[in-house]
mmCIF file of all heavy atoms in Angstrom:
data_model
loop_
_atom_site.group_PDB
_atom_site.id
_atom_site.type_symbol
_atom_site.label_atom_id
_atom_site.label_comp_id
_atom_site.label_asym_id
_atom_site.label_seq_id
_atom_site.Cartn_x
_atom_site.Cartn_y
_atom_site.Cartn_z
ATOM 1 N N ASP C 297 16.451 3.275 14.113
ATOM 2 C CA ASP C 297 16.539 4.594 13.531
ATOM 3 C C ASP C 297 17.957 4.902 12.993
ATOM 4 O O ASP C 297 18.159 5.545 11.946
ATOM 5 C CB ASP C 297 16.119 5.684 14.481
ATOM 6 C CG ASP C 297 14.595 5.718 14.736
ATOM 7 O OD1 ASP C 297 13.882 5.147 13.865
ATOM 8 O OD2 ASP C 297 14.154 6.269 15.738
ATOM 9 N N GLN C 298 18.966 4.452 13.742
ATOM 10 C CA GLN C 298 20.339 4.659 13.332
ATOM 11 C C GLN C 298 20.629 3.830 12.062
ATOM 12 O O GLN C 298 21.340 4.321 11.145
ATOM 13 C CB GLN C 298 21.314 4.274 14.439
ATOM 14 C CG GLN C 298 21.307 5.271 15.604
ATOM 15 C CD GLN C 298 22.047 4.739 16.857
ATOM 16 O OE1 GLN C 298 22.095 3.551 17.154
ATOM 17 N NE2 GLN C 298 22.643 5.675 17.605
ATOM 18 N N LYS C 299 20.077 2.621 12.014
ATOM 19 C CA LYS C 299 20.284 1.807 10.761
ATOM 20 C C LYS C 299 19.577 2.515 9.590
ATOM 21 O O LYS C 299 20.179 2.603 8.517
ATOM 22 C CB LYS C 299 19.608 0.460 11.024
ATOM 23 C CG LYS C 299 19.728 -0.514 9.802
ATOM 24 C CD LYS C 299 18.866 -1.754 10.008
ATOM 25 C CE LYS C 299 17.392 -1.475 9.699
ATOM 26 N NZ LYS C 299 16.649 -2.729 9.657
ATOM 27 N N LYS C 300 18.434 3.046 9.758
ATOM 28 C CA LYS C 300 17.741 3.740 8.677
ATOM 29 C C LYS C 300 18.453 4.970 8.222
ATOM 30 O O LYS C 300 18.476 5.325 7.051
ATOM 31 C CB LYS C 300 16.283 4.123 9.131
ATOM 32 C CG LYS C 300 15.378 2.959 9.333
ATOM 33 C CD LYS C 300 13.991 3.422 9.873
ATOM 34 C CE LYS C 300 13.140 2.325 10.308
ATOM 35 N NZ LYS C 300 12.659 1.496 9.192
ATOM 36 N N ALA C 301 19.099 5.698 9.204
ATOM 37 C CA ALA C 301 19.858 6.865 8.836
ATOM 38 C C ALA C 301 20.996 6.507 7.866
ATOM 39 O O ALA C 301 21.322 7.296 6.949
ATOM 40 C CB ALA C 301 20.446 7.548 10.083
ATOM 41 N N LYS C 302 21.663 5.352 8.065
ATOM 42 C CA LYS C 302 22.674 4.935 7.112
ATOM 43 C C LYS C 302 22.123 4.644 5.747
ATOM 44 O O LYS C 302 22.730 4.969 4.735
ATOM 45 C CB LYS C 302 23.302 3.684 7.671
ATOM 46 C CG LYS C 302 24.118 3.896 8.996
ATOM 47 C CD LYS C 302 24.641 2.561 9.528
ATOM 48 C CE LYS C 302 25.440 2.773 10.829
ATOM 49 N NZ LYS C 302 25.858 1.522 11.440
ATOM 50 N N GLY C 303 20.917 4.073 5.740
ATOM 51 C CA GLY C 303 20.258 3.831 4.429
ATOM 52 C C GLY C 303 19.949 5.076 3.661
ATOM 53 O O GLY C 303 20.153 5.208 2.467
ATOM 54 N N LYS C 304 19.467 6.109 4.426
ATOM 55 C CA LYS C 304 19.161 7.390 3.773
ATOM 56 C C LYS C 304 20.385 8.127 3.263
ATOM 57 O O LYS C 304 20.281 8.982 2.370
ATOM 58 C CB LYS C 304 18.314 8.232 4.713
ATOM 59 C CG LYS C 304 16.926 7.651 4.897
ATOM 60 C CD LYS C 304 16.081 8.444 5.932
ATOM 61 C CE LYS C 304 14.638 7.969 5.976
ATOM 62 N NZ LYS C 304 14.502 6.522 6.308
ATOM 63 N N LYS C 305 21.498 7.808 3.817
ATOM 64 C CA LYS C 305 22.786 8.382 3.317
ATOM 65 C C LYS C 305 23.380 7.511 2.167
ATOM 66 O O LYS C 305 24.492 7.771 1.747
ATOM 67 C CB LYS C 305 23.780 8.484 4.477
ATOM 68 C CG LYS C 305 23.445 9.553 5.460
ATOM 69 C CD LYS C 305 24.604 9.880 6.394
ATOM 70 C CE LYS C 305 24.899 8.763 7.381
ATOM 71 N NZ LYS C 305 25.940 9.069 8.341
ATOM 72 N N ASN C 306 22.635 6.508 1.703
ATOM 73 C CA ASN C 306 23.034 5.654 0.600
ATOM 74 C C ASN C 306 24.359 4.922 0.918
ATOM 75 O O ASN C 306 25.241 4.797 0.099
ATOM 76 C CB ASN C 306 23.132 6.477 -0.701
ATOM 77 C CG ASN C 306 23.139 5.478 -1.911
ATOM 78 O OD1 ASN C 306 22.479 4.520 -1.894
ATOM 79 N ND2 ASN C 306 23.838 5.873 -2.978
ATOM 80 N N GLU C 307 24.403 4.349 2.129
ATOM 81 C CA GLU C 307 25.609 3.632 2.559
ATOM 82 C C GLU C 307 25.387 2.113 2.651
ATOM 83 O O GLU C 307 26.312 1.347 2.774
ATOM 84 C CB GLU C 307 26.065 4.123 3.943
ATOM 85 C CG GLU C 307 26.547 5.603 3.886
ATOM 86 C CD GLU C 307 26.934 6.033 5.329
ATOM 87 O OE1 GLU C 307 26.616 5.367 6.316
ATOM 88 O OE2 GLU C 307 27.553 7.177 5.392
ATOM 89 N N VAL C 308 24.137 1.698 2.562
ATOM 90 C CA VAL C 308 23.751 0.327 2.881
ATOM 91 C C VAL C 308 23.385 -0.482 1.613
ATOM 92 O O VAL C 308 22.619 0.023 0.799
ATOM 93 C CB VAL C 308 22.608 0.283 3.907
ATOM 94 C CG1 VAL C 308 22.175 -1.145 4.104
ATOM 95 C CG2 VAL C 308 23.052 0.935 5.220
ATOM 96 N N ALA C 309 23.945 -1.681 1.503
ATOM 97 C CA ALA C 309 23.659 -2.531 0.324
ATOM 98 C C ALA C 309 22.511 -3.452 0.499
ATOM 99 O O ALA C 309 21.642 -3.593 -0.373
ATOM 100 C CB ALA C 309 24.906 -3.248 -0.092
ATOM 101 N N VAL C 310 22.470 -4.173 1.659
ATOM 102 C CA VAL C 310 21.447 -5.145 1.959
ATOM 103 C C VAL C 310 20.949 -4.953 3.342
ATOM 104 O O VAL C 310 21.731 -4.700 4.297
ATOM 105 C CB VAL C 310 21.994 -6.595 1.773
ATOM 106 C CG1 VAL C 310 20.851 -7.620 1.979
ATOM 107 C CG2 VAL C 310 22.634 -6.782 0.433
ATOM 108 N N PHE C 311 19.645 -5.040 3.599
ATOM 109 C CA PHE C 311 19.049 -4.662 4.854
ATOM 110 C C PHE C 311 17.665 -5.273 4.958
ATOM 111 O O PHE C 311 17.120 -5.744 4.002
ATOM 112 C CB PHE C 311 18.989 -3.125 4.964
ATOM 113 C CG PHE C 311 18.168 -2.482 3.885
ATOM 114 C CD1 PHE C 311 16.826 -2.250 4.024
ATOM 115 C CD2 PHE C 311 18.774 -2.220 2.663
ATOM 116 C CE1 PHE C 311 16.053 -1.687 2.975
ATOM 117 C CE2 PHE C 311 18.102 -1.637 1.588
ATOM 118 C CZ PHE C 311 16.727 -1.384 1.743
ATOM 119 N N ASN C 312 17.079 -5.161 6.155
ATOM 120 C CA ASN C 312 15.687 -5.577 6.384
ATOM 121 C C ASN C 312 14.835 -4.361 6.704
ATOM 122 O O ASN C 312 15.291 -3.418 7.357
ATOM 123 C CB ASN C 312 15.607 -6.537 7.574
ATOM 124 C CG ASN C 312 14.190 -6.743 8.072
ATOM 125 O OD1 ASN C 312 13.703 -5.907 8.760
ATOM 126 N ND2 ASN C 312 13.603 -7.867 7.737
ATOM 127 N N ASP C 313 13.630 -4.356 6.202
ATOM 128 C CA ASP C 313 12.614 -3.376 6.605
ATOM 129 C C ASP C 313 11.288 -3.848 6.075
ATOM 130 O O ASP C 313 11.231 -4.777 5.235
ATOM 131 C CB ASP C 313 12.962 -1.972 6.141
ATOM 132 C CG ASP C 313 12.425 -0.905 7.110
ATOM 133 O OD1 ASP C 313 11.394 -1.156 7.709
ATOM 134 O OD2 ASP C 313 13.048 0.125 7.194
ATOM 135 N N TYR C 314 10.214 -3.216 6.533
ATOM 136 C CA TYR C 314 8.886 -3.582 6.034
ATOM 137 C C TYR C 314 8.808 -3.274 4.573
ATOM 138 O O TYR C 314 8.343 -4.131 3.742
ATOM 139 C CB TYR C 314 7.816 -2.836 6.797
ATOM 140 C CG TYR C 314 6.476 -3.454 6.666
ATOM 141 C CD1 TYR C 314 6.065 -4.599 7.394
ATOM 142 C CD2 TYR C 314 5.515 -2.947 5.769
ATOM 143 C CE1 TYR C 314 4.809 -5.220 7.233
ATOM 144 C CE2 TYR C 314 4.240 -3.522 5.625
ATOM 145 C CZ TYR C 314 3.933 -4.643 6.340
ATOM 146 O OH TYR C 314 2.659 -5.217 6.204
ATOM 147 N N TYR C 315 9.229 -2.101 4.157
ATOM 148 C CA TYR C 315 9.361 -1.709 2.753
ATOM 149 C C TYR C 315 10.739 -1.043 2.563
ATOM 150 O O TYR C 315 11.221 -0.446 3.492
ATOM 151 C CB TYR C 315 8.270 -0.821 2.291
ATOM 152 C CG TYR C 315 6.886 -1.421 2.234
ATOM 153 C CD1 TYR C 315 5.823 -0.887 2.932
ATOM 154 C CD2 TYR C 315 6.688 -2.622 1.493
ATOM 155 C CE1 TYR C 315 4.564 -1.469 2.876
ATOM 156 C CE2 TYR C 315 5.440 -3.181 1.488
ATOM 157 C CZ TYR C 315 4.375 -2.613 2.141
ATOM 158 O OH TYR C 315 3.141 -3.233 2.103
ATOM 159 N N PRO C 316 11.414 -1.161 1.412
ATOM 160 C CA PRO C 316 12.747 -0.684 1.289
ATOM 161 C C PRO C 316 12.843 0.838 1.422
ATOM 162 O O PRO C 316 13.879 1.322 1.994
ATOM 163 C CB PRO C 316 13.121 -1.096 -0.137
ATOM 164 C CG PRO C 316 11.837 -1.389 -0.871
ATOM 165 C CD PRO C 316 10.895 -1.903 0.227
ATOM 166 N N TYR C 317 11.866 1.614 1.000
ATOM 167 C CA TYR C 317 11.934 3.042 1.147
ATOM 168 C C TYR C 317 11.831 3.515 2.597
ATOM 169 O O TYR C 317 12.157 4.688 2.902
ATOM 170 C CB TYR C 317 10.902 3.714 0.268
ATOM 171 C CG TYR C 317 9.466 3.529 0.629
ATOM 172 C CD1 TYR C 317 8.788 4.436 1.481
ATOM 173 C CD2 TYR C 317 8.687 2.413 0.094
ATOM 174 C CE1 TYR C 317 7.448 4.226 1.774
ATOM 175 C CE2 TYR C 317 7.400 2.252 0.424
ATOM 176 C CZ TYR C 317 6.762 3.149 1.238
ATOM 177 O OH TYR C 317 5.429 2.933 1.588
ATOM 178 N N PHE C 318 11.402 2.681 3.510
ATOM 179 C CA PHE C 318 11.442 3.007 4.913
ATOM 180 C C PHE C 318 12.847 3.235 5.364
ATOM 181 O O PHE C 318 13.150 4.011 6.266
ATOM 182 C CB PHE C 318 10.783 1.947 5.785
ATOM 183 C CG PHE C 318 9.291 1.821 5.669
ATOM 184 C CD1 PHE C 318 8.561 2.647 4.836
ATOM 185 C CD2 PHE C 318 8.611 0.858 6.411
ATOM 186 C CE1 PHE C 318 7.194 2.571 4.738
ATOM 187 C CE2 PHE C 318 7.205 0.764 6.310
ATOM 188 C CZ PHE C 318 6.518 1.598 5.468
ATOM 189 N N THR C 319 13.815 2.443 4.794
ATOM 190 C CA THR C 319 15.255 2.594 5.102
ATOM 191 C C THR C 319 15.948 3.558 4.186
ATOM 192 O O THR C 319 16.721 4.408 4.640
ATOM 193 C CB THR C 319 15.920 1.245 5.123
ATOM 194 O OG1 THR C 319 15.498 0.483 6.181
ATOM 195 C CG2 THR C 319 17.459 1.387 5.160
ATOM 196 N N LEU C 320 15.682 3.413 2.897
ATOM 197 C CA LEU C 320 16.434 4.179 1.900
ATOM 198 C C LEU C 320 15.895 5.577 1.682
ATOM 199 O O LEU C 320 16.601 6.456 1.077
ATOM 200 C CB LEU C 320 16.510 3.409 0.575
ATOM 201 C CG LEU C 320 17.137 2.032 0.593
ATOM 202 C CD1 LEU C 320 17.044 1.341 -0.757
ATOM 203 C CD2 LEU C 320 18.584 2.119 1.087
ATOM 204 N N GLY C 321 14.680 5.866 2.096
ATOM 205 C CA GLY C 321 14.068 7.095 1.802
ATOM 206 C C GLY C 321 13.475 7.117 0.386
ATOM 207 O O GLY C 321 13.431 6.084 -0.299
ATOM 208 N N GLY C 322 12.917 8.239 -0.001
ATOM 209 C CA GLY C 322 12.302 8.366 -1.332
ATOM 210 C C GLY C 322 10.925 7.776 -1.322
ATOM 211 O O GLY C 322 10.328 7.528 -0.306
ATOM 212 N N GLU C 323 10.410 7.617 -2.544
ATOM 213 C CA GLU C 323 9.008 7.102 -2.726
ATOM 214 C C GLU C 323 9.050 5.608 -3.071
ATOM 215 O O GLU C 323 10.057 5.082 -3.467
ATOM 216 C CB GLU C 323 8.388 7.894 -3.911
ATOM 217 C CG GLU C 323 8.245 9.390 -3.681
ATOM 218 C CD GLU C 323 7.322 9.634 -2.478
ATOM 219 O OE1 GLU C 323 6.282 8.976 -2.338
ATOM 220 O OE2 GLU C 323 7.685 10.555 -1.660
ATOM 221 N N PRO C 324 7.914 4.966 -2.901
ATOM 222 C CA PRO C 324 7.758 3.516 -3.288
ATOM 223 C C PRO C 324 8.127 3.360 -4.756
ATOM 224 O O PRO C 324 7.649 4.144 -5.590
ATOM 225 C CB PRO C 324 6.292 3.205 -3.016
ATOM 226 C CG PRO C 324 5.903 4.214 -1.946
ATOM 227 C CD PRO C 324 6.674 5.469 -2.353
ATOM 228 N N SER C 325 8.902 2.326 -5.063
ATOM 229 C CA SER C 325 9.243 2.108 -6.455
ATOM 230 C C SER C 325 9.634 0.632 -6.633
ATOM 231 O O SER C 325 9.714 -0.140 -5.688
ATOM 232 C CB SER C 325 10.428 2.996 -6.854
ATOM 233 O OG SER C 325 11.651 2.458 -6.298
ATOM 234 N N ARG C 326 9.903 0.225 -7.920
ATOM 235 C CA ARG C 326 10.355 -1.119 -8.248
ATOM 236 C C ARG C 326 11.820 -1.281 -8.261
ATOM 237 O O ARG C 326 12.345 -2.287 -8.726
ATOM 238 C CB ARG C 326 9.769 -1.468 -9.595
ATOM 239 C CG ARG C 326 8.256 -1.678 -9.647
ATOM 240 C CD ARG C 326 7.767 -1.924 -11.076
ATOM 241 N NE ARG C 326 6.397 -2.352 -11.103
ATOM 242 C CZ ARG C 326 5.926 -3.592 -11.170
ATOM 243 N NH1 ARG C 326 6.894 -4.565 -11.245
ATOM 244 N NH2 ARG C 326 4.668 -3.897 -11.187
ATOM 245 N N ASP C 327 12.553 -0.240 -7.754
ATOM 246 C CA ASP C 327 14.014 -0.206 -7.903
ATOM 247 C C ASP C 327 14.743 -1.017 -6.945
ATOM 248 O O ASP C 327 15.941 -1.355 -7.208
ATOM 249 C CB ASP C 327 14.507 1.239 -7.759
ATOM 250 C CG ASP C 327 13.969 2.174 -8.868
ATOM 251 O OD1 ASP C 327 13.596 1.625 -9.933
ATOM 252 O OD2 ASP C 327 13.890 3.371 -8.644
ATOM 253 N N ASN C 328 14.142 -1.461 -5.838
ATOM 254 C CA ASN C 328 14.887 -2.158 -4.750
ATOM 255 C C ASN C 328 14.287 -3.550 -4.516
ATOM 256 O O ASN C 328 13.211 -3.681 -3.842
ATOM 257 C CB ASN C 328 14.876 -1.305 -3.446
ATOM 258 C CG ASN C 328 15.299 0.074 -3.693
ATOM 259 O OD1 ASN C 328 16.491 0.355 -4.070
ATOM 260 N ND2 ASN C 328 14.363 1.042 -3.591
ATOM 261 N N PRO C 329 14.839 -4.598 -5.070
ATOM 262 C CA PRO C 329 14.202 -5.924 -5.090
ATOM 263 C C PRO C 329 14.332 -6.599 -3.732
ATOM 264 O O PRO C 329 15.245 -6.423 -2.980
ATOM 265 C CB PRO C 329 14.917 -6.631 -6.145
ATOM 266 C CG PRO C 329 16.264 -6.013 -6.209
ATOM 267 C CD PRO C 329 16.026 -4.551 -5.925
ATOM 268 N N ILE C 330 13.343 -7.533 -3.513
ATOM 269 C CA ILE C 330 13.443 -8.443 -2.370
ATOM 270 C C ILE C 330 14.578 -9.392 -2.613
ATOM 271 O O ILE C 330 14.889 -9.772 -3.739
ATOM 272 C CB ILE C 330 12.147 -9.266 -2.187
ATOM 273 C CG1 ILE C 330 11.014 -8.344 -1.636
ATOM 274 C CG2 ILE C 330 12.287 -10.478 -1.298
ATOM 275 C CD1 ILE C 330 9.685 -9.055 -1.521
ATOM 276 N N MET C 331 15.277 -9.747 -1.512
ATOM 277 C CA MET C 331 16.370 -10.660 -1.622
ATOM 278 C C MET C 331 15.936 -12.096 -2.043
ATOM 279 O O MET C 331 14.873 -12.568 -1.525
ATOM 280 C CB MET C 331 17.096 -10.826 -0.261
ATOM 281 C CG MET C 331 18.358 -11.618 -0.299
ATOM 282 S SD MET C 331 19.143 -11.596 1.304
ATOM 283 C CE MET C 331 20.692 -12.377 0.954
ATOM 284 N N GLN C 332 16.577 -12.681 -2.957
ATOM 285 C CA GLN C 332 16.308 -14.073 -3.382
ATOM 286 C C GLN C 332 16.836 -14.987 -2.263
ATOM 287 O O GLN C 332 17.993 -14.884 -1.879
ATOM 288 C CB GLN C 332 17.033 -14.367 -4.673
ATOM 289 C CG GLN C 332 17.040 -15.830 -5.079
ATOM 290 C CD GLN C 332 15.723 -16.308 -5.635
ATOM 291 O OE1 GLN C 332 15.112 -15.579 -6.388
ATOM 292 N NE2 GLN C 332 15.333 -17.509 -5.289
ATOM 293 N N PRO C 333 15.971 -15.872 -1.678
ATOM 294 C CA PRO C 333 16.482 -16.804 -0.684
ATOM 295 C C PRO C 333 17.679 -17.632 -1.273
ATOM 296 O O PRO C 333 17.670 -17.970 -2.468
ATOM 297 C CB PRO C 333 15.287 -17.700 -0.382
ATOM 298 C CG PRO C 333 14.114 -16.815 -0.638
ATOM 299 C CD PRO C 333 14.511 -15.960 -1.854
ATOM 300 N N LEU C 334 18.667 -17.875 -0.454
ATOM 301 C CA LEU C 334 19.923 -18.469 -0.927
ATOM 302 C C LEU C 334 20.076 -19.945 -0.597
ATOM 303 O O LEU C 334 19.718 -20.392 0.489
ATOM 304 C CB LEU C 334 21.119 -17.670 -0.282
ATOM 305 C CG LEU C 334 21.055 -16.148 -0.474
ATOM 306 C CD1 LEU C 334 22.205 -15.509 0.245
ATOM 307 C CD2 LEU C 334 21.124 -15.795 -1.932
ATOM 308 N N LYS C 335 20.683 -20.657 -1.500
ATOM 309 C CA LYS C 335 21.037 -22.034 -1.291
ATOM 310 C C LYS C 335 22.395 -22.144 -0.579
ATOM 311 O O LYS C 335 23.346 -21.398 -0.944
ATOM 312 C CB LYS C 335 21.138 -22.776 -2.617
ATOM 313 C CG LYS C 335 21.542 -24.271 -2.558
ATOM 314 C CD LYS C 335 21.461 -24.897 -3.858
ATOM 315 C CE LYS C 335 21.971 -26.389 -3.811
ATOM 316 N NZ LYS C 335 21.137 -27.149 -2.983
ATOM 317 N N SER C 336 22.514 -22.962 0.403
ATOM 318 C CA SER C 336 23.790 -23.154 1.178
ATOM 319 C C SER C 336 24.250 -24.579 1.027
ATOM 320 O O SER C 336 23.774 -25.348 0.219
ATOM 321 C CB SER C 336 23.548 -22.794 2.667
ATOM 322 O OG SER C 336 22.781 -23.873 3.276
ATOM 323 N N GLU C 337 25.199 -24.961 1.900
ATOM 324 C CA GLU C 337 25.727 -26.297 1.884
ATOM 325 C C GLU C 337 24.767 -27.340 2.492
ATOM 326 O O GLU C 337 24.947 -28.530 2.380
ATOM 327 C CB GLU C 337 27.042 -26.373 2.683
ATOM 328 C CG GLU C 337 26.973 -26.176 4.190
ATOM 329 C CD GLU C 337 26.804 -24.697 4.646
ATOM 330 O OE1 GLU C 337 26.743 -23.820 3.754
ATOM 331 O OE2 GLU C 337 26.843 -24.461 5.832
ATOM 332 N N ILE C 338 23.714 -26.819 3.175
ATOM 333 C CA ILE C 338 22.691 -27.720 3.746
ATOM 334 C C ILE C 338 21.765 -28.232 2.634
ATOM 335 O O ILE C 338 21.218 -27.477 1.886
ATOM 336 C CB ILE C 338 21.856 -26.971 4.830
ATOM 337 C CG1 ILE C 338 22.821 -26.498 5.964
ATOM 338 C CG2 ILE C 338 20.794 -27.873 5.390
ATOM 339 C CD1 ILE C 338 23.435 -27.580 6.786
ATOM 340 N N PRO C 339 21.553 -29.554 2.545
ATOM 341 C CA PRO C 339 20.687 -30.142 1.499
ATOM 342 C C PRO C 339 19.239 -29.602 1.652
ATOM 343 O O PRO C 339 18.780 -29.398 2.814
ATOM 344 C CB PRO C 339 20.776 -31.588 1.759
ATOM 345 C CG PRO C 339 22.029 -31.856 2.499
ATOM 346 C CD PRO C 339 22.219 -30.623 3.342
ATOM 347 N N GLY C 340 18.575 -29.402 0.520
ATOM 348 C CA GLY C 340 17.192 -28.998 0.528
ATOM 349 C C GLY C 340 16.967 -27.486 0.720
ATOM 350 O O GLY C 340 15.813 -27.043 0.873
ATOM 351 N N THR C 341 18.025 -26.714 0.706
ATOM 352 C CA THR C 341 17.884 -25.270 0.800
ATOM 353 C C THR C 341 17.809 -24.621 -0.529
ATOM 354 O O THR C 341 18.302 -25.198 -1.519
ATOM 355 C CB THR C 341 19.079 -24.656 1.664
ATOM 356 O OG1 THR C 341 20.320 -24.989 0.976
ATOM 357 C CG2 THR C 341 19.087 -25.238 3.007
ATOM 358 N N PRO C 342 17.222 -23.395 -0.582
ATOM 359 C CA PRO C 342 16.695 -22.618 0.520
ATOM 360 C C PRO C 342 15.265 -23.019 0.918
ATOM 361 O O PRO C 342 14.546 -23.692 0.111
ATOM 362 C CB PRO C 342 16.720 -21.183 0.026
ATOM 363 C CG PRO C 342 16.468 -21.333 -1.478
ATOM 364 C CD PRO C 342 17.147 -22.623 -1.881
ATOM 365 N N VAL C 343 14.844 -22.590 2.125
ATOM 366 C CA VAL C 343 13.459 -22.694 2.558
ATOM 367 C C VAL C 343 13.024 -21.304 2.994
ATOM 368 O O VAL C 343 13.891 -20.447 3.303
ATOM 369 C CB VAL C 343 13.267 -23.744 3.628
ATOM 370 C CG1 VAL C 343 13.701 -25.113 3.150
ATOM 371 C CG2 VAL C 343 13.993 -23.344 4.921
#
Side-chain angles (χ1 to χ4, degrees):
D297 286 343
Q298 288 169 328
K299 181 189 78 171
K300 291 176 191 291
K302 294 174 180 177
K304 289 177 173 59
K305 289 192 291 184
N306 198 32
E307 295 176 347
V308 175
V310 185
F311 57 93
N312 165 284
D313 210 328
Y314 197 79
Y315 293 124
Y317 65 93
F318 288 1
T319 288
L320 299 176
E323 297 298 317
S325 76
R326 291 174 169 264
D327 296 336
N328 308 293
I330 287 177
M331 187 177 189
Q332 169 77 40
L334 306 175
K335 179 177 177 59
S336 71
E337 70 278 6
I338 298 293
T341 57
V343 301

